Amino acid sequence: MDGGATWSNANTEPPLFPIGYVPTSLAQYRITVTNTGEEALSNVFVNDSMLWTGDLALPADCYDDVTGYFEPGEVCVIDSGDAGFEILGDYGVCQTPGLKTNTACTNGDGSFSQLPAIPSPPGEICDPANVVCLEPGIDIIKRVQDPVSLVWEDANSAPGVYYPTGATVRYQLEVCNTGGVDLEDVYVEDPALNIAQSLIGSLAIGQCVTLEQGTLPTGVPGLNSDLACANPGQFPNTAYADGYYGGGLGPVEDDDPANVTCQDPSVDITKVGPTEAKVGD
């Protein structure tokens, strides 16, 4: 079920795949039909209502070359390479998250008795396969350090953190994998700080990485900015993160703003004296 690398019966312990999973080779599904009885079978069909409508005949090469029957003990493995069963490799099972249950059924007639191989209704035997489709997720938080308390503030809304005009503003980025699949090729970007797509690597499920000045790759502008408060006023700033999963699927993306208000230093003095003089003062 993972492109032919590993096959799982998946009745009770379904394999996990990311949303958007597509096979790289062979098939997402394959069906194995076995004659477990003592009589050869004819007219053997397979159906799978999730993948196609009606019955499909067992591939011809599954029948005995001499007798023309599906003999006792014979095993027929059907995958997307068999004519008529191409859908086993093309079906996109993981387009939405959640548990996906897919049931295939088979039926046939006894070659001599002409009775159904499974006499009780509905005249067929079935087997399910389950897949859990996982949703990827990424989260980025951009923070500003308060120049007085030195506490890192999320500062999503204006006015944000106050800085004196001309001071160096310190930023911090935290990127987390909040989804159900590992992420690879995770990038951060911050146009206002002249940080183009900067690769920070892979993130396992639940893993976070915190970036501060000096932790970005060599040659990438840092997270301390002398330009943010070059002039008084409001300085909004947004950082972006994206990553890929499942061997190139994606990207999954997130962004987060941070706000700084730059103020000119000022001082004011007011001297207050008596409003009227008294005789003798």
Side-chain angles (χ1 to χ4, degrees):
M1 297 191 65
D2 58 357
T6 305
W7 292 99
S8 171
N9 196 13
N11 285 355
T12 57
E13 296 184 8
L16 309 177
F17 292 117
I19 291 177
Y21 165 78
V22 292
T24 55
S25 62
L26 297 180
Q28 286 180 268
Y29 291 102
R30 76 179 181 189
I31 298 171
T32 302
V33 181
T34 304
N35 184 347
T36 59
E38 298 179 350
E39 183 179 3
L41 299 176
S42 62
N43 301 321
V44 181
F45 293 91
V46 177
N47 63 70
D48 188 323
S49 60
M50 185 175 177
L51 301 186
W52 65 79
T53 301
D55 290 336
L56 292 179
L58 206 66
D61 58 5
C62 290
Y63 290 92
D64 187 274
D65 291 338
V66 176
T67 66
Y69 293 115
F70 189 48
E71 297 291 338
E74 286 294 325
V75 178
C76 178
V77 178
I78 306 169
D79 61 30
S80 60
D82 292 297
F85 290 91
E86 293 83 3
I87 190 65
L88 291 172
D90 296 335
Y91 181 70
V93 64
C94 277
Q95 300 308 307
T96 56
L99 175 66
K100 313 295 180 181
T101 300
N102 184 358
T103 300
C105 300
T106 186
N107 57 76
D109 297 328
S111 56
F112 300 106
S113 66
Q114 298 301 307
L115 296 175
I118 308 296
S120 60
E124 58 187 13
I125 188 167
C126 301
D127 186 64
N130 296 286
V131 172
V132 174
C133 303
L134 302 172
E135 191 163 15
I138 194 170
D139 181 66
I140 185 170
I141 300 175
K142 181 166 188 174
R143 301 184 179 96
V144 184
Q145 188 177 51
D146 188 294
V148 178
S149 68
L150 302 184
V151 173
W152 291 102
E153 303 286 353
D154 200 358
N156 283 345
S157 302
V161 177
Y162 288 94
Y163 266 82
T165 303
T168 298
V169 180
R170 297 190 65 198
Y171 292 99
Q172 179 192 80
L173 302 179
E174 182 181 21
V175 184
C176 296
N177 181 347
T178 58
V181 296
D182 292 341
L183 297 176
E184 63 257 7
D185 295 334
V186 178
Y187 291 84
V188 294
E189 183 175 1
D190 195 320
L193 298 182
N194 295 317
I195 299 175
Q197 287 269 300
S198 178
L199 178 66
I200 62 174
S202 300
L203 290 177
I205 299 170
Q207 182 182 359
C208 296
V209 61
T210 300
L211 303 174
E212 294 180 16
Q213 181 72 9
T215 60
L216 290 170
T218 302
V220 176
L223 289 170
N224 291 355
S225 175
D226 295 327
L227 300 177
C229 274
N231 299 293
Q234 182 70 33
F235 187 77
N237 187 356
T238 300
Y240 304 84
D242 61 73
Y244 295 82
Y245 57 94
L249 297 174
V252 57
E253 302 169 314
D254 189 43
D255 61 77
D256 190 58
N259 289 271
V260 172
T261 296
C262 309
Q263 295 178 320
D264 284 332
S266 63
V267 64
D268 182 59
I269 183 171
T270 303
K271 184 176 181 179
V272 178
T275 58
E276 61 182 40
K278 295 181 180 180
V279 177
D281 285 353

